[in-house]
Amino acid sequence: MRSLDQSGTKLRSLSESMSDDEFFAEDQTGMSVAWHYCHLLSLEDWTVNRVILEGKPKLPFEFRDAFRGGRPITDQDRGLFPTKLKLESDFSRTRESSLLVLSKFDDSNWNRSTPNDCRFATLGDVWENLANDSWWHIGYVAATVPRCVGSLQATMKPRFYSTDLDDINLSN
């Protein structure tokens, strides 16, 4: 829970300090901070809603498919980007919801098998991947966004989210 909390906080801190141009600027692979947000948002939506809660993802398949990673970024993908403000808000709301689900997750299910269409063996593996993937993407941003390279900007740990359930407000 702490890892998801802190990585979400760091992503918000990094993106809030960026202009729209910097947020949507692509590196040599075509990825931007916006792309990383969309990728993590898509992964988290599918993971929590489909795998953990065994329901339906909230985001449309087209959006999730465009930002799943492992393929070149297309103009069609770029056309799916919401505004920076909306993307930050959607990501924060999704992260808060995930933290709430994780706080209610029964630890005895940590080693329970995942549904057949999941590449991770257990529900615990799924939660661990969510946390690790967030940090991996922060590292990528820190290594490719010019003003972050060599700075401590991606290593600070301010708190944006709260793991105290009384402080989480999902209505925003």
Side-chain angles (χ1 to χ4, degrees), residues 65-134:
D65 190 50
F67 299 108
R68 66 184 152 100
R71 65 178 186 71
I73 297 161
T74 67
D75 286 339
Q76 186 175 351
D77 300 340
R78 290 178 191 94
L80 296 173
F81 285 131
T83 66
K84 177 179 180 275
L85 186 60
K86 178 163 178 23
L87 191 47
E88 288 170 332
S89 175
D90 289 350
F91 178 83
S92 293
R93 196 170 16 265
T94 298
R95 184 56 54 103
E96 288 171 349
S97 179
S98 296
L99 287 168
L100 189 60
V101 170
L102 180 55
S103 72
K104 295 176 180 180
F105 185 76
D106 182 349
D107 289 344
S108 68
N109 288 320
W110 197 258
N111 292 317
R112 193 177 108 212
S113 295
T114 57
N116 292 336
D117 61 346
C118 182
R119 67 183 173 118
F120 299 101
T122 70
L123 295 179
D125 292 339
V126 169
W127 283 118
E128 290 172 358
N129 180 68
L130 271 182
N132 290 337
D133 201 41
S134 290

Side-chain angles (χ1 to χ4, degrees), residues 6-16 23 33 36-37 40 88 91 95 134-135 137-138 141 161:
Q6 290 179 340
S7 62
T9 296
K10 179 43 56 191
L11 281 165
R12 276 302 296 257
S13 174
L14 284 170
S15 69
E16 286 176 348
F23 185 75
V33 175
H36 289 282
Y37 257 84
L40 290 170
E88 288 170 332
F91 178 83
R95 184 56 54 103
S134 290
W135 285 110
H137 286 278
I138 290 170
V141 168
Y161 305 106

